[in-house]
Amino acid sequence: MTDAETYRAKMAARFHTFDHDGDGELTRHDFHCMARRVAETFGVADGSEADLRLTAAADRYWEGMAGLADVDRDERITREEFVTAAWAGLHRDPGAFAGIALPWHRAVLDVADPGLVRGSSTPSTVARVLVALGAETDRASLIAAEHGTDPSGRIAHEEILREVEQYYTTAAPQRAFPVPA
């Protein structure tokens, strides 16, 4: 498989974890569902400040992806639009990741560990984040356990975000998310 084929397959798998209602298209609603799933996973009350920050981050993520992928401007992103935009925008321009997806991932990590040691999370929290974002539980636990921890057993958020960036910007095979049949 070429790098392009590997990357496209990885993004096709990721598309399905974004498509919360399973209709084959991504909309702002799917991104709000993703935010709600993260909020529920971490006990964030509906309408709380943390919930509003998470929803705002999901909106920015949607707007960035729609700006990149929704070429016909119908407020829906098909799988093909998503995969093509990820290849052209995120893979070929890693700076696009910083503007589109990084703020969302930072917001998720902030919600996952409120009031605790800022800037780091436990491997179990990282696994819970991955599951909330659509990863399979066993895979999420294995991936989280692979990260180096500090003496207190925590993983620096910057390390996690580097891994997320590599996921979206390289053709390295994905291991966390289920691949649809």
Side-chain angles (χ1 to χ4, degrees):
M1 219 178 209
T2 67
D3 277 357
E5 291 167 333
T6 300
Y7 184 83
R8 293 178 70 80
K10 176 170 60 173
M11 289 300 107
R14 188 67 178 114
F15 172 87
H16 290 283
T17 63
F18 278 96
D19 185 13
H20 285 270
D21 59 15
D23 68 355
E25 298 177 317
L26 303 182
T27 63
R28 184 181 301 272
H29 175 74
D30 289 303
F31 282 67
H32 283 189
C33 288
M34 184 171 59
R36 191 71 235 140
R37 187 170 175 179
V38 169
E40 289 171 357
T41 296
F42 294 100
V44 174
D46 194 22
S48 68
E49 184 181 328
D51 182 51
L52 296 175
R53 281 194 321 266
L54 196 58
T55 301
D59 276 334
R60 286 190 304 274
Y61 198 5
W62 159 254
E63 290 162 7
M65 284 306 299
L68 194 62
D70 186 19
V71 294
D72 59 5
R73 302 293 182 237
D74 64 353
E75 305 234 352
R76 298 181 180 290
I77 300 171
T78 65
R79 184 179 136 192
E80 186 57 33
E81 285 175 326
F82 180 83
V83 170
T84 299
W87 172 255
L90 300 178
H91 179 71
R92 290 195 171 157
D93 178 12
F97 169 82
I100 294 171
L102 185 61
W104 160 253
H105 290 283
R106 283 191 191 285
V108 169
L109 290 172
D110 287 346
V111 164
D113 261 338
L116 298 176
V117 178
R118 298 300 265 167
S120 65
S121 295
T122 64
S124 64
T125 298
V126 172
R128 288 176 64 210
V129 165
L130 286 168
V131 170
L133 296 177
E136 295 173 334
T137 304
D138 292 344
R139 289 181 182 191
S141 295
L142 289 171
I143 290 166
E146 291 174 355
H147 287 281
T149 58
D150 66 17
S152 69
R154 299 178 67 81
I155 306 165
H157 285 177
E158 290 309 312
E159 179 182 342
I160 297 164
L161 295 170
R162 273 192 304 277
E163 290 287 325
V164 172
E165 181 179 8
Q166 285 182 344
Y167 174 84
Y168 282 101
T169 62
T170 72
Q174 74 92 18
R175 300 174 304 133
F177 302 100
V179 177

PDB file of all heavy atoms in Angstrom, residues 101-125:
ATOM      1  N   ALA A 101      -7.728  21.193  14.068  1.00  0.00           N
ATOM      2  CA  ALA A 101      -7.997  20.115  15.028  1.00  0.00           C
ATOM      3  C   ALA A 101      -7.348  20.305  16.393  1.00  0.00           C
ATOM      4  O   ALA A 101      -7.887  19.839  17.397  1.00  0.00           O
ATOM      5  CB  ALA A 101      -7.558  18.779  14.431  1.00  0.00           C
ATOM      6  N   LEU A 102      -6.206  20.961  16.452  1.00  0.00           N
ATOM      7  CA  LEU A 102      -5.482  21.078  17.718  1.00  0.00           C
ATOM      8  C   LEU A 102      -6.306  21.749  18.820  1.00  0.00           C
ATOM      9  O   LEU A 102      -6.322  21.259  19.953  1.00  0.00           O
ATOM     10  CB  LEU A 102      -4.153  21.793  17.501  1.00  0.00           C
ATOM     11  CG  LEU A 102      -3.236  21.880  18.710  1.00  0.00           C
ATOM     12  CD1 LEU A 102      -2.844  20.487  19.209  1.00  0.00           C
ATOM     13  CD2 LEU A 102      -1.980  22.668  18.353  1.00  0.00           C
ATOM     14  N   PRO A 103      -7.017  22.853  18.542  1.00  0.00           N
ATOM     15  CA  PRO A 103      -7.815  23.468  19.619  1.00  0.00           C
ATOM     16  C   PRO A 103      -8.866  22.514  20.203  1.00  0.00           C
ATOM     17  O   PRO A 103      -9.108  22.518  21.412  1.00  0.00           O
ATOM     18  CB  PRO A 103      -8.471  24.673  18.942  1.00  0.00           C
ATOM     19  CG  PRO A 103      -7.555  24.997  17.807  1.00  0.00           C
ATOM     20  CD  PRO A 103      -7.039  23.660  17.326  1.00  0.00           C
ATOM     21  N   TRP A 104      -9.463  21.694  19.370  1.00  0.00           N
ATOM     22  CA  TRP A 104     -10.435  20.714  19.847  1.00  0.00           C
ATOM     23  C   TRP A 104      -9.763  19.713  20.789  1.00  0.00           C
ATOM     24  O   TRP A 104     -10.252  19.451  21.883  1.00  0.00           O
ATOM     25  CB  TRP A 104     -11.087  19.985  18.673  1.00  0.00           C
ATOM     26  CG  TRP A 104     -11.708  18.679  19.059  1.00  0.00           C
ATOM     27  CD1 TRP A 104     -11.242  17.439  18.771  1.00  0.00           C
ATOM     28  CD2 TRP A 104     -12.893  18.479  19.832  1.00  0.00           C
ATOM     29  NE1 TRP A 104     -12.062  16.474  19.307  1.00  0.00           N
ATOM     30  CE2 TRP A 104     -13.091  17.089  19.965  1.00  0.00           C
ATOM     31  CE3 TRP A 104     -13.814  19.333  20.425  1.00  0.00           C
ATOM     32  CZ2 TRP A 104     -14.161  16.537  20.660  1.00  0.00           C
ATOM     33  CZ3 TRP A 104     -14.883  18.780  21.123  1.00  0.00           C
ATOM     34  CH2 TRP A 104     -15.054  17.403  21.235  1.00  0.00           C
ATOM     35  N   HIS A 105      -8.642  19.182  20.378  1.00  0.00           N
ATOM     36  CA  HIS A 105      -7.965  18.179  21.190  1.00  0.00           C
ATOM     37  C   HIS A 105      -7.470  18.768  22.517  1.00  0.00           C
ATOM     38  O   HIS A 105      -7.518  18.100  23.545  1.00  0.00           O
ATOM     39  CB  HIS A 105      -6.844  17.507  20.390  1.00  0.00           C
ATOM     40  CG  HIS A 105      -7.392  16.643  19.306  1.00  0.00           C
ATOM     41  ND1 HIS A 105      -7.929  15.407  19.541  1.00  0.00           N
ATOM     42  CD2 HIS A 105      -7.538  16.861  17.975  1.00  0.00           C
ATOM     43  CE1 HIS A 105      -8.369  14.887  18.413  1.00  0.00           C
ATOM     44  NE2 HIS A 105      -8.135  15.756  17.441  1.00  0.00           N
ATOM     45  N   ARG A 106      -7.032  20.014  22.493  1.00  0.00           N
ATOM     46  CA  ARG A 106      -6.649  20.676  23.749  1.00  0.00           C
ATOM     47  C   ARG A 106      -7.866  20.798  24.670  1.00  0.00           C
ATOM     48  O   ARG A 106      -7.767  20.554  25.873  1.00  0.00           O
ATOM     49  CB  ARG A 106      -6.062  22.062  23.475  1.00  0.00           C
ATOM     50  CG  ARG A 106      -4.654  22.045  22.981  1.00  0.00           C
ATOM     51  CD  ARG A 106      -4.074  23.472  22.997  1.00  0.00           C
ATOM     52  NE  ARG A 106      -2.823  23.545  22.302  1.00  0.00           N
ATOM     53  CZ  ARG A 106      -1.661  23.095  22.750  1.00  0.00           C
ATOM     54  NH1 ARG A 106      -1.610  22.502  23.917  1.00  0.00           N
ATOM     55  NH2 ARG A 106      -0.560  23.218  22.029  1.00  0.00           N
ATOM     56  N   ALA A 107      -8.999  21.190  24.110  1.00  0.00           N
ATOM     57  CA  ALA A 107     -10.219  21.335  24.910  1.00  0.00           C
ATOM     58  C   ALA A 107     -10.640  20.002  25.521  1.00  0.00           C
ATOM     59  O   ALA A 107     -11.046  19.945  26.687  1.00  0.00           O
ATOM     60  CB  ALA A 107     -11.348  21.909  24.052  1.00  0.00           C
ATOM     61  N   VAL A 108     -10.517  18.935  24.763  1.00  0.00           N
ATOM     62  CA  VAL A 108     -10.871  17.602  25.273  1.00  0.00           C
ATOM     63  C   VAL A 108      -9.968  17.233  26.445  1.00  0.00           C
ATOM     64  O   VAL A 108     -10.446  16.768  27.486  1.00  0.00           O
ATOM     65  CB  VAL A 108     -10.791  16.537  24.153  1.00  0.00           C
ATOM     66  CG1 VAL A 108     -10.890  15.128  24.718  1.00  0.00           C
ATOM     67  CG2 VAL A 108     -11.885  16.776  23.118  1.00  0.00           C
ATOM     68  N   LEU A 109      -8.683  17.444  26.297  1.00  0.00           N
ATOM     69  CA  LEU A 109      -7.757  17.115  27.387  1.00  0.00           C
ATOM     70  C   LEU A 109      -8.018  17.973  28.625  1.00  0.00           C
ATOM     71  O   LEU A 109      -7.934  17.485  29.750  1.00  0.00           O
ATOM     72  CB  LEU A 109      -6.307  17.262  26.922  1.00  0.00           C
ATOM     73  CG  LEU A 109      -5.849  16.207  25.916  1.00  0.00           C
ATOM     74  CD1 LEU A 109      -4.473  16.559  25.364  1.00  0.00           C
ATOM     75  CD2 LEU A 109      -5.854  14.817  26.525  1.00  0.00           C
ATOM     76  N   ASP A 110      -8.379  19.238  28.428  1.00  0.00           N
ATOM     77  CA  ASP A 110      -8.698  20.099  29.561  1.00  0.00           C
ATOM     78  C   ASP A 110      -9.945  19.612  30.305  1.00  0.00           C
ATOM     79  O   ASP A 110      -9.994  19.650  31.529  1.00  0.00           O
ATOM     80  CB  ASP A 110      -8.898  21.546  29.111  1.00  0.00           C
ATOM     81  CG  ASP A 110      -7.601  22.238  28.731  1.00  0.00           C
ATOM     82  OD1 ASP A 110      -6.511  21.713  29.054  1.00  0.00           O
ATOM     83  OD2 ASP A 110      -7.681  23.302  28.092  1.00  0.00           O
ATOM     84  N   VAL A 111     -10.929  19.152  29.575  1.00  0.00           N
ATOM     85  CA  VAL A 111     -12.160  18.635  30.183  1.00  0.00           C
ATOM     86  C   VAL A 111     -11.893  17.304  30.886  1.00  0.00           C
ATOM     87  O   VAL A 111     -12.470  17.021  31.935  1.00  0.00           O
ATOM     88  CB  VAL A 111     -13.267  18.475  29.112  1.00  0.00           C
ATOM     89  CG1 VAL A 111     -14.405  17.608  29.595  1.00  0.00           C
ATOM     90  CG2 VAL A 111     -13.782  19.830  28.695  1.00  0.00           C
ATOM     91  N   ALA A 112     -11.006  16.512  30.333  1.00  0.00           N
ATOM     92  CA  ALA A 112     -10.735  15.181  30.880  1.00  0.00           C
ATOM     93  C   ALA A 112     -10.073  15.235  32.252  1.00  0.00           C
ATOM     94  O   ALA A 112     -10.275  14.338  33.069  1.00  0.00           O
ATOM     95  CB  ALA A 112      -9.860  14.379  29.918  1.00  0.00           C
ATOM     96  N   ASP A 113      -9.304  16.268  32.526  1.00  0.00           N
ATOM     97  CA  ASP A 113      -8.579  16.375  33.797  1.00  0.00           C
ATOM     98  C   ASP A 113      -8.754  17.751  34.439  1.00  0.00           C
ATOM     99  O   ASP A 113      -7.783  18.445  34.710  1.00  0.00           O
ATOM    100  CB  ASP A 113      -7.079  16.131  33.559  1.00  0.00           C
ATOM    101  CG  ASP A 113      -6.664  14.722  33.905  1.00  0.00           C
ATOM    102  OD1 ASP A 113      -7.369  14.073  34.695  1.00  0.00           O
ATOM    103  OD2 ASP A 113      -5.626  14.283  33.399  1.00  0.00           O
ATOM    104  N   PRO A 114      -9.983  18.157  34.727  1.00  0.00           N
ATOM    105  CA  PRO A 114     -10.166  19.490  35.313  1.00  0.00           C
ATOM    106  C   PRO A 114      -9.642  19.538  36.745  1.00  0.00           C
ATOM    107  O   PRO A 114      -9.832  18.610  37.524  1.00  0.00           O
ATOM    108  CB  PRO A 114     -11.680  19.678  35.281  1.00  0.00           C
ATOM    109  CG  PRO A 114     -12.212  18.293  35.408  1.00  0.00           C
ATOM    110  CD  PRO A 114     -11.229  17.418  34.647  1.00  0.00           C
ATOM    111  N   GLY A 115      -8.980  20.603  37.054  1.00  0.00           N
ATOM    112  CA  GLY A 115      -8.526  20.815  38.420  1.00  0.00           C
ATOM    113  C   GLY A 115      -7.378  19.933  38.877  1.00  0.00           C
ATOM    114  O   GLY A 115      -6.893  20.059  39.979  1.00  0.00           O
ATOM    115  N   LEU A 116      -6.962  19.005  38.053  1.00  0.00           N
ATOM    116  CA  LEU A 116      -5.839  18.151  38.423  1.00  0.00           C
ATOM    117  C   LEU A 116      -4.557  18.796  37.931  1.00  0.00           C
ATOM    118  O   LEU A 116      -4.523  19.958  37.569  1.00  0.00           O
ATOM    119  CB  LEU A 116      -6.035  16.749  37.847  1.00  0.00           C
ATOM    120  CG  LEU A 116      -7.278  16.015  38.355  1.00  0.00           C
ATOM    121  CD1 LEU A 116      -7.431  14.688  37.639  1.00  0.00           C
ATOM    122  CD2 LEU A 116      -7.196  15.788  39.856  1.00  0.00           C
ATOM    123  N   VAL A 117      -3.499  18.051  37.904  1.00  0.00           N
ATOM    124  CA  VAL A 117      -2.229  18.572  37.417  1.00  0.00           C
ATOM    125  C   VAL A 117      -2.433  19.011  35.967  1.00  0.00           C
ATOM    126  O   VAL A 117      -2.693  18.186  35.099  1.00  0.00           O
ATOM    127  CB  VAL A 117      -1.128  17.489  37.512  1.00  0.00           C
ATOM    128  CG1 VAL A 117       0.183  18.020  36.964  1.00  0.00           C
ATOM    129  CG2 VAL A 117      -0.978  17.007  38.937  1.00  0.00           C
ATOM    130  N   ARG A 118      -2.371  20.305  35.742  1.00  0.00           N
ATOM    131  CA  ARG A 118      -2.609  20.827  34.391  1.00  0.00           C
ATOM    132  C   ARG A 118      -1.471  20.410  33.475  1.00  0.00           C
ATOM    133  O   ARG A 118      -0.318  20.349  33.881  1.00  0.00           O
ATOM    134  CB  ARG A 118      -2.733  22.350  34.402  1.00  0.00           C
ATOM    135  CG  ARG A 118      -3.902  22.866  35.218  1.00  0.00           C
ATOM    136  CD  ARG A 118      -5.215  22.370  34.743  1.00  0.00           C
ATOM    137  NE  ARG A 118      -5.811  23.350  33.847  1.00  0.00           N
ATOM    138  CZ  ARG A 118      -6.847  23.065  33.104  1.00  0.00           C
ATOM    139  NH1 ARG A 118      -7.383  21.892  33.128  1.00  0.00           N
ATOM    140  NH2 ARG A 118      -7.352  23.978  32.323  1.00  0.00           N
ATOM    141  N   GLY A 119      -1.847  20.120  32.236  1.00  0.00           N
ATOM    142  CA  GLY A 119      -0.833  19.804  31.245  1.00  0.00           C
ATOM    143  C   GLY A 119      -0.421  18.359  31.192  1.00  0.00           C
ATOM    144  O   GLY A 119       0.507  18.008  30.468  1.00  0.00           O
ATOM    145  N   SER A 120      -1.110  17.489  31.932  1.00  0.00           N
ATOM    146  CA  SER A 120      -0.798  16.062  31.865  1.00  0.00           C
ATOM    147  C   SER A 120      -2.022  15.256  32.287  1.00  0.00           C
ATOM    148  O   SER A 120      -2.932  15.778  32.923  1.00  0.00           O
ATOM    149  CB  SER A 120       0.391  15.719  32.762  1.00  0.00           C
ATOM    150  OG  SER A 120       0.070  15.929  34.126  1.00  0.00           O
ATOM    151  N   SER A 121      -2.031  13.994  31.897  1.00  0.00           N
ATOM    152  CA  SER A 121      -3.133  13.079  32.215  1.00  0.00           C
ATOM    153  C   SER A 121      -2.579  11.703  32.520  1.00  0.00           C
ATOM    154  O   SER A 121      -1.482  11.351  32.074  1.00  0.00           O
ATOM    155  CB  SER A 121      -4.104  12.963  31.026  1.00  0.00           C
ATOM    156  OG  SER A 121      -4.745  14.181  30.768  1.00  0.00           O
ATOM    157  N   THR A 122      -3.345  10.915  33.220  1.00  0.00           N
ATOM    158  CA  THR A 122      -2.958   9.531  33.481  1.00  0.00           C
ATOM    159  C   THR A 122      -3.222   8.692  32.236  1.00  0.00           C
ATOM    160  O   THR A 122      -4.059   9.064  31.396  1.00  0.00           O
ATOM    161  CB  THR A 122      -3.763   8.934  34.649  1.00  0.00           C
ATOM    162  OG1 THR A 122      -5.143   8.884  34.269  1.00  0.00           O
ATOM    163  CG2 THR A 122      -3.575   9.741  35.930  1.00  0.00           C
ATOM    164  N   PRO A 123      -2.549   7.555  32.103  1.00  0.00           N
ATOM    165  CA  PRO A 123      -2.843   6.674  30.973  1.00  0.00           C
ATOM    166  C   PRO A 123      -4.322   6.250  30.931  1.00  0.00           C
ATOM    167  O   PRO A 123      -4.902   6.166  29.848  1.00  0.00           O
ATOM    168  CB  PRO A 123      -1.920   5.476  31.211  1.00  0.00           C
ATOM    169  CG  PRO A 123      -0.743   6.061  31.932  1.00  0.00           C
ATOM    170  CD  PRO A 123      -1.360   7.088  32.851  1.00  0.00           C
ATOM    171  N   SER A 124      -4.943   6.026  32.080  1.00  0.00           N
ATOM    172  CA  SER A 124      -6.355   5.623  32.063  1.00  0.00           C
ATOM    173  C   SER A 124      -7.236   6.752  31.545  1.00  0.00           C
ATOM    174  O   SER A 124      -8.223   6.501  30.841  1.00  0.00           O
ATOM    175  CB  SER A 124      -6.812   5.149  33.445  1.00  0.00           C
ATOM    176  OG  SER A 124      -6.763   6.199  34.379  1.00  0.00           O
ATOM    177  N   THR A 125      -6.890   7.994  31.860  1.00  0.00           N
ATOM    178  CA  THR A 125      -7.656   9.125  31.327  1.00  0.00           C
ATOM    179  C   THR A 125      -7.468   9.228  29.823  1.00  0.00           C
ATOM    180  O   THR A 125      -8.427   9.456  29.084  1.00  0.00           O
ATOM    181  CB  THR A 125      -7.241  10.439  32.022  1.00  0.00           C
ATOM    182  OG1 THR A 125      -7.545  10.331  33.411  1.00  0.00           O
ATOM    183  CG2 THR A 125      -7.958  11.635  31.430  1.00  0.00           C
TER     184      THR A 125
END
